[in-house]
Amino acid sequence: MPLSDRSLLLLGLVLGSFCTLLGSVAPGNNSKDALNVLLIIVDDLRLSLGCYGDKLIRSPNIDQLASHSLLFQNAFAQQAVCAPSRVSFLTGRRPDTTRLYDFNSYWRVQAGNFSTIPQYFKENGYVTMSVGKVFHPGISSNHSDDSPYSWSVPPYHPSSEKYENTKTCKGPDGELHANLICPVDMADIPEGTLPDKQSTKKAIQLLEKMKTSSSPFFLAVGYHKPHIPFRYPKEFQKLYPLENITLAPDPHVPPGLPPVAYNPWMDIRQREDVEALNLSVPYGSIPVDFQRKIRQSYFASVSYMDTQVGHLLSALDDLQLANSTIVAFTSDHGWALGEHGEWAKYSNFDVTTHVPLMFYVPGRTAPLPEAGEKLFPYIDPFDSISELMEPGRQVEDPVELVSLFPTLAGLAGLHVPPRCPSPSFHVELCREGQSLLNHFQFHDLEEDLTLRGNPRESIAYSQYPRPADYPQWNSDKPSLKDIKFMGYSIRTIDYRYTVWVSFNPHEFLANFSDVHAGELYFVDSDPLQDHNMYNETQGGDLPQLLTP
């Protein structure tokens, strides 16, 4: 069968057969013995962490969490942009079901009255709380972070959020600018604090209140960094001397990359310090010295964020909640740091869809702490670290963020919502992601043995919309009405395969008979995804693509 026919057959799975397998069903929850849940969501965090093998990054507190967790090496977001990704994994539905590909609609109005992870926990006796950026703010969460559906108490947003994109970055001229690179002196900034510091403080206060509660809690904490602008305490730059900063290993646009697949990182270009570089659009490259500064500040932002995670987890220990609280840690998507000549998310490449994902389950992924023992003592990234902590047990299989809903439900002892029918717009409670419980080897939980050995559990789907065949000013974040093409992408352990097809935004339909471009990368021989084999194999026979 020629590859063009295989394209239609394989990618037909993406639209018509996003079906997943029914996960384990746990017995109903008893609030007396129920495990709490702490869900930590980081914004724009790629796999720049020590626990994922990055030897440059100082992330000791997240690495410590990983050492007590089940860590997924190949977890993927369903769309590499904030609002669509968050709505997708918090509802357990894919973007084609939430019908959110931009920032401009509320799924309960646009698509269906779909339940969310916190809503499900709330309906099962949990006190649910939101701190920081959990849902994307604005229309996509009804200007309320989906309250009152999802949360028992009003969500908390740091007061200093409003300064994130204002002129608070001191430039070489001594003036304040709205820059991309923005290390700050804490004494000089408005309110003398930063959003993630405020979020940590508030989250710890909520943990203190819940310690004496008779109800279990579900606390979601969303950290802003390393999202742009890179606004962080300036001392974190010292962890990453510029002379130690290397460039991306593939800093140029690959010659075989279809123009529709490229994102022109317009939001970066609009920052004052980048704007001053007078780069040509869309392919103009950033000067090498400035590339190093961007990478330095991204890494510094990660280490700053790691300290906040460290303080939060240390408080969990201090309050003696570590033995009764599941901790899940992930990011909404990754971020390119010069790979393929790109500086943003907005694509289907691994560097933007590949995310950290780990679960600490007391007594399961790590032994219960003994009296007086601390699992998560705070570690200062500025202290000399003799050796990196080894992660706990790791899973290599590709998995998806839409699996977060059924997995957290099952880990907490709640019934795992059933898999969604197709279509499922009329169904309030179901999920399109498969449960990952089988990876935890819980022998005391009933397991669905059909999960084992099925090739579908080794596939992750992502997608990204474009307004045109070629990069233009709105290619990164097209509004729904402007979407003309959708790139549907399949990631297995061996390859990433993407086709760019025409898309009707009024009917939310892709036309798989109208393929405009394709990408095929083999992971073993081309881990950076620089050599597109799609055109070379077009019309050829690739049985390994469809062989279970």
Side-chain angles (χ1 to χ4, degrees):
M1 185 186 297
L3 184 60
S4 57
D5 292 336
R6 290 185 183 280
S7 300
L8 299 180
L9 178 59
L10 190 57
L11 265 294
L13 293 174
V14 182
L15 269 189
S17 301
F18 260 149
C19 303
T20 52
L21 298 168
L22 182 60
S24 305
V25 177
N29 205 25
N30 184 327
S31 61
K32 199 172 188 181
D33 304 316
L35 288 173
N36 307 305
V37 177
L38 172 60
L39 172 60
I40 301 172
I41 303 169
V42 184
D43 207 347
D44 288 19
L45 178 62
R46 53 191 263 155
L47 299 191
S48 292
L49 296 169
C51 55
Y52 280 92
D54 193 320
K55 293 180 171 55
L56 176 67
I57 303 301
R58 292 286 189 96
S59 54
N61 295 287
I62 297 170
D63 298 344
Q64 181 171 244
L65 172 63
S67 73
H68 299 304
S69 298
L70 179 62
L71 182 142
F72 289 85
Q73 285 283 357
N74 289 296
F76 294 91
Q78 277 49 78
Q79 188 178 328
V81 69
C82 298
S85 177
R86 289 165 186 263
V87 168
S88 173
F89 69 72
L90 286 168
T91 62
R93 317 277 185 122
R94 303 178 188 279
D96 277 349
T97 303
T98 66
R99 292 182 166 176
L100 181 69
Y101 314 104
D102 57 13
F103 296 77
N104 304 320
S105 67
Y106 181 39
W107 79 90
R108 294 187 191 271
V109 173
Q110 180 93 314
N113 189 29
F114 308 146
S115 297
T116 68
I117 300 174
Q119 178 182 353
Y120 186 56
F121 275 81
K122 179 183 175 185
E123 291 168 351
N124 279 275
Y126 278 72
V127 176
T128 59
M129 302 165 287
S130 173
V131 170
K133 186 177 178 181
V134 178
F135 283 100
H136 194 279
I139 299 173
S140 62
S141 58
N142 202 33
H143 299 283
S144 66
D145 298 281
D146 195 45
S147 291
Y149 294 99
S150 290
W151 310 110
S152 304
V153 296
Y156 170 83
H157 284 276
S159 59
S160 60
E161 274 182 351
K162 60 180 174 286
Y163 304 111
E164 277 292 281
N165 294 299
T166 60
K167 293 179 182 288
T168 57
C169 317
K170 188 173 290 187
D173 58 3
E175 300 297 320
L176 295 179
H177 298 274
N179 286 343
L180 172 66
I181 297 173
C182 190
V184 297
D185 187 325
M186 296 298 294
D188 294 340
I189 58 175
E191 299 186 30
T193 190
L194 292 169
D196 288 347
K197 286 179 174 286
Q198 288 185 288
S199 290
T200 300
K201 182 178 179 181
K202 180 64 175 181
I204 292 173
Q205 290 172 349
L206 292 173
L207 289 176
E208 290 170 346
K209 289 181 179 178
M210 293 309 300
K211 177 176 169 56
T212 57
S213 172
S214 59
S215 299
F217 66 80
F218 178 102
L219 173 60
V221 181
Y223 286 114
H224 284 70
K225 297 303 121 181
H227 192 287
I228 62 171
F230 301 128
R231 188 165 171 260
Y232 57 90
K234 64 181 182 182
E235 60 267 23
F236 284 88
Q237 273 189 328
K238 298 175 185 176
L239 293 173
Y240 303 98
L242 275 174
E243 59 267 24
N244 294 344
I245 303 298
T246 59
L247 302 180
D250 55 345
H252 305 293
V253 180
L257 183 69
V260 69
Y262 179 78
N263 82 77
W265 35 280
M266 295 303 295
D267 52 355
I268 302 299
R269 297 174 188 274
Q270 293 164 9
R271 306 287 166 168
E272 290 184 31
D273 49 352
V274 178
E275 190 176 34
L277 299 174
N278 294 315
L279 305 174
S280 62
V281 179
Y283 294 114
S285 60
I286 293 176
V288 166
D289 288 348
F290 202 87
Q291 289 187 37
R292 286 195 172 90
K293 291 178 181 178
I294 294 176
R295 289 169 67 88
Q296 175 195 46
S297 278
Y298 183 93
F299 301 149
S301 297
V302 171
S303 291
Y304 159 58
M305 178 273 299
D306 177 81
T307 64
Q308 300 310 302
V309 173
H311 288 306
L312 177 61
L313 294 176
S314 180
L316 197 71
D317 255 338
D318 293 340
L319 295 168
Q320 299 180 326
L321 290 168
N323 61 354
S324 59
T325 303
I326 297 164
V327 181
F329 177 95
T330 194
S331 169
D332 52 359
H333 44 72
W335 212 79
L337 282 171
E339 292 85 0
H340 312 111
E342 297 182 332
W343 298 89
K345 44 247 188 181
Y346 316 131
S347 82
N348 283 319
F349 283 119
D350 275 16
V351 73
T352 64
T353 56
H354 202 174
V355 295
L357 179 65
M358 64 190 78
F359 297 86
Y360 159 73
V361 186
R364 302 285 194 173
T365 62
L368 288 172
E370 298 180 3
E373 179 189 5
K374 293 200 72 172
L375 280 183
F376 306 115
Y378 176 76
I379 304 173
D380 190 333
F382 291 92
D383 291 346
S384 58
I385 302 171
S386 57
E387 61 183 34
L388 290 172
M389 281 169 281
E390 289 295 323
R393 195 165 62 82
Q394 301 175 56
V395 175
E396 297 288 339
D397 299 19
V399 300
E400 305 176 288
L401 282 190
V402 281
S403 291
L404 193 62
F405 195 154
T407 303
L408 281 178
L411 290 176
L414 305 180
H415 288 285
V416 175
R419 65 185 179 99
C420 292
S422 182
S424 64
F425 299 107
H426 60 291
V427 181
E428 291 187 16
L429 180 63
C430 68
R431 42 83 183 189
E432 294 178 334
Q434 70 179 42
S435 166
L436 303 179
L437 292 182
N438 59 312
H439 294 292
F440 289 81
Q441 299 178 342
F442 287 176
H443 300 299
D444 58 337
L445 288 181
E446 179 186 346
E447 291 190 13
D448 183 346
L449 296 180
T450 59
L451 279 172
R452 298 187 181 280
N454 190 295
R456 275 196 171 165
E457 62 180 328
S458 295
I459 294 177
Y461 300 95
S462 302
Q463 62 188 98
Y464 210 86
R466 293 284 189 238
D469 269 321
Y470 286 84
Q472 60 185 42
W473 68 272
N474 64 339
S475 286
D476 295 343
K477 296 183 286 187
S479 296
L480 174 63
K481 64 180 176 58
D482 297 321
I483 297 173
K484 301 292 190 298
F485 306 100
M486 189 71 73
Y488 288 98
S489 195
I490 291 175
R491 177 63 155 83
T492 75
I493 203 69
D494 298 314
Y495 66 87
R496 178 173 287 285
Y497 176 61
T498 304
V499 291
W500 294 89
V501 301
S502 59
F503 184 84
N504 184 326
H506 306 291
E507 297 180 1
F508 300 94
L509 287 178
N511 181 359
F512 282 93
S513 65
D514 185 18
V515 178
H516 282 240
E519 299 171 78
L520 176 63
Y521 307 100
F522 291 101
V523 174
D524 282 346
S525 59
D526 184 23
L528 300 177
Q529 298 170 12
D530 290 320
H531 304 288
N532 182 11
M533 304 298 291
Y534 180 86
N535 290 331
E536 295 182 33
T537 56
Q538 184 74 2
D541 191 27
L542 291 174
Q544 68 268 34
L545 289 180
L546 292 177
T547 301

